[in-house]
Amino acid sequence: MTSDPLIALRPWEAPEVTSWGRLPMNAVDRRSGAVSLDGEWRFQLLPTPVAEPGPRWSPAQVPGAWTLQDTGDLPWYTNARMPWGEFPPASPAANPTGVYEREVEVPAEWAGRRIVLQVGAAESVLLVHVDGRPVGVSKDSHLAAEFDLSAVVRPGSAHTVRLTVVKWSDASHVEDQDQWWHGGITRPVLLYATDPLYLADVTVRTRLDGELRVDCKVRQASGPLPEGWCVTGELDDQLLVQDTEFDRFNEEDGRISDFLGEARLGTVVDDVRAWTAETPELYGLTVRLHRPDGTVADTSFHRVGFREVEIRGRDLLLNGERIYVRGVNRHDFHPLTGRTVTYEDMRADLELLKRFGFNAIRAAHYPNDPSLLDVADELGFYVVDEADIESHDHAHEIADDPRYLGAFVDRVSRMALRDKNHPSVIIWSLGNESDYGANHDAAAGWLRRHDPTRPLQYEGAAKLDWADPALASDIACPMYAPVEDCVAHALSGRQTKPLIQCEYSHAMGNSNGTLADHWAAIESTPGLQGGFIWEFWDHGILQDVNDGRPAGRAGTGLYERGVAAPGYRWAYGGDFGEVIHDGVFIADGVVFPDRTPKPVMYEHREIAAPVRLDRERGGLRISNHQHFKDLRWLAAEWSLSLADGGTRTAPADLPDLGPGESASVPLPFVLPEDGGEAWLTLRVTTAGDEPWGPRGTEVCVPQVRLRAPDPVAPVREPGEVEVDDDGLLAHPLLTFAPVLSLWRAPTDNDELGGMAARWHEQGLDALVRKAVAVRREDGRVTVLAEYATGAGTVRHEQVFTRVEGGVRVEESAVLPDGLDDVARVGSVFETVAGLDVLEWFGQGPWESYPDRSSGAPVGHHTLPVDELFTPYLRPQESGGRHGVRRFTLSAPDATGLSVDLTAPAQVSVTRYRAEDLAAAAHHDELVPRPGCVVHLDAAHRGLGTASCGPDTSPSYLIAAGTHHWSWTLRVL
């Protein structure tokens, strides 16, 4: 193989060899008439690129990563670090290399045509051979590579196509993204044919006034262009007009050559329907290339959206309107197939995001599968299209390294050439976490010249100075900037660019605290326009626990509602034997690996609600918080929830409101004189079928409180509560009496933010209770206890009183000054087995916490205990419900216990003690307890996002000093 010119190039070592024999990128649609080469190929995995294939082959699926197909080379996760120590541009000598082969029958009817092979994506270097003859080389793991096979294949004959994929290369240093490392061919492979006279590229430009311009480039496969060719087009049924002045200008300017032709088509659409994320109106554009005799040589179809993007001052405008960017970062990912995703997968992703109020996607950190943009055009999403550039481990060196200059420009330009005609793409991104240098400026210069219709952004440039206009970012797009800093910048008078964070809330484990606070600041501060949550997926790979291998495609159906089937688990960094890895940092999405929404999705849905509800004197105010759409696509229903269990519903007629408008409406109910605390909810749903959800899909549930609770003092009864000699409550339904709790099983934010280590040093995870005194007086039992910690002694008092039907518990805890940031202050107890259903009045039905509770409306909720727990990939504190007023735990025969809380509290009911969760790395290690572990927290620390970003705000921390809470326990 050493005589092979492709091997002689050693492209896995040479950054200047970004391609050889690869055709230029273009935006011409070639899917019609193509022959799919997907399916089973012969495969060998070699130890190095220069090793010779042997006689033995195994089957491999294309597309698909070989790391998920039982080849012996397993997935590997690192975040910022490279998985090996070589410096750029070197790669390791031990370099897995996959060789794919199959016979390809070239259709006989393609005789005389130009024949092209397209490989959708290969990680990270692709070498193409046909019948042993070298054809070409390509790099860039996330864009298609095309090769002209016309000279090496014969229509009507079978040929052996070999695709050699080298896993590691100099290019790996600029693909150092926060994701699993794989190897293989991860997107579809196809063969297509064109006439020798063909469309080389099509560029579509639109204006909001209905003007359409289509620039076409034409080539002849060999020899000069024939005289008399022409291009025609139509937009739906409207014919386009050829711009003869454009052709004459080019001829006079000498820019038309014998080998490249250019033509411009155009029209003006009357009463044009504008494209936005709320109103994704599309037109069908067909472009035809005609031979001199008038017959059609080539055709390309595009879906066109009329819209304009501009930055005016410090505002990003779409169609002249300042928009909010409610975004999420998205990788191509699937728990069984890695980065190989189907059209159906991508559509399901975007339909889910649409149902939860997202309107924007950042393609992190590379151009996503091209079909994603088709779906984004159709469903309505604003896309930040990002080049496949991240050199995290060696960012500073590579940013100015001239050996990588070509790679930077190549990756940025090919992305723009592929995706430029999609209306959903409103911003270009130069990449991610690659410092900032001359290579970025070169790529930015090419991009600004090629496409002046869109702004570009790059966080590495913007972070140097959010306001500097000379840097290669039209948008201030920081990562995880504290909201206070963002507000201060917007109010400073220095702001010159829109501030839209490319990452601002890190969804790792039980997280995304203060999301509502962040958006309250955005919506109240001119100059702030939103951002992108990191990220969409938990990248857990389904793993067979018995043999440690990925389940692969055989794992279909082995997970449900975010939980893997027995014998399987969601694997994260280190689970495949990686020596260098970054653990569970790969699990930081708003959905579980199977696309089950995490509780934060409901929080976001309410924050992004198109309909808002506020209380005003004498009634209510309903507001339309959309940018472009009225409310006619929505239906609604009123629901009244009373503390005593009473509920009422009534149809709701939404007022006729345009974007940004509001109106007063009367109360839909006469509030009853009794019933206690009262909450009014407006359940808003789709009035008809939408492309992303059927009629009746819930859109939001805005809520207002109509009446505050009346304080109710339990009726005291004679007799004394039974308390043992240690001052512990004796109760027939409790197996573990209520004691003080100051600790939670650390969340990922707690671990990476340093709180977990501090709590451990303080001994909060192993409190030892010491009874100081038990005093019985006038039917009341007062118990004083002390807990020694590394920061001083905590004094805990419990007062037990017999009341009607049960026991009244009044508690206080005095925390010394050294305990100024604990996880919780409250009681924990355990129940007998058999109490399997929780009913509560409070926020729900999904999990909520003090700094992530806006999406959980107050009402009456019921769930099985086993469904209360949220299975974050690494077990941790979860399953809590905020603002609970009372609850019951019952058995099937309706026996059980109830708890009434004097003030709304944070309550969790699970099958696990905090220490059970903290000791487990995966859920298959957890053993549920037969009873319930119940926490009643007078105060619970906010979640924040400290695993990557700011911690929770000070208002959600628990201060030292005295804390009071009280509750009543009754038997049902």
Side-chain angles (χ1 to χ4, degrees), residues 361-379:
I361 295 167
R362 177 174 172 231
H365 296 295
Y366 44 80
N368 286 186
D369 187 289
S371 293
L372 183 90
L373 297 180
D374 294 335
V375 183
D377 293 341
E378 178 190 343
L379 298 184

Side-chain angles (χ1 to χ4, degrees), residues 189-247:
V189 180
L190 55 87
L191 198 68
Y192 69 85
T194 73
D195 192 89
L197 181 68
Y198 64 96
L199 289 167
D201 200 8
V202 175
T203 302
V204 179
R205 299 278 171 84
T206 64
R207 290 173 53 91
L208 194 58
D209 61 7
E211 180 184 334
L212 171 69
R213 193 183 88 189
V214 182
D215 291 335
C216 306
K217 293 184 177 180
V218 177
R219 289 186 185 273
Q220 175 81 3
S222 60
L225 285 164
E227 293 288 338
W229 63 267
C230 70
V231 175
T232 64
E234 59 186 55
L235 187 72
D236 290 344
D237 296 326
Q238 183 170 339
L239 294 177
L240 276 60
V241 177
Q242 181 146 350
D243 188 340
T244 55
E245 292 187 5
F246 173 75
D247 290 340

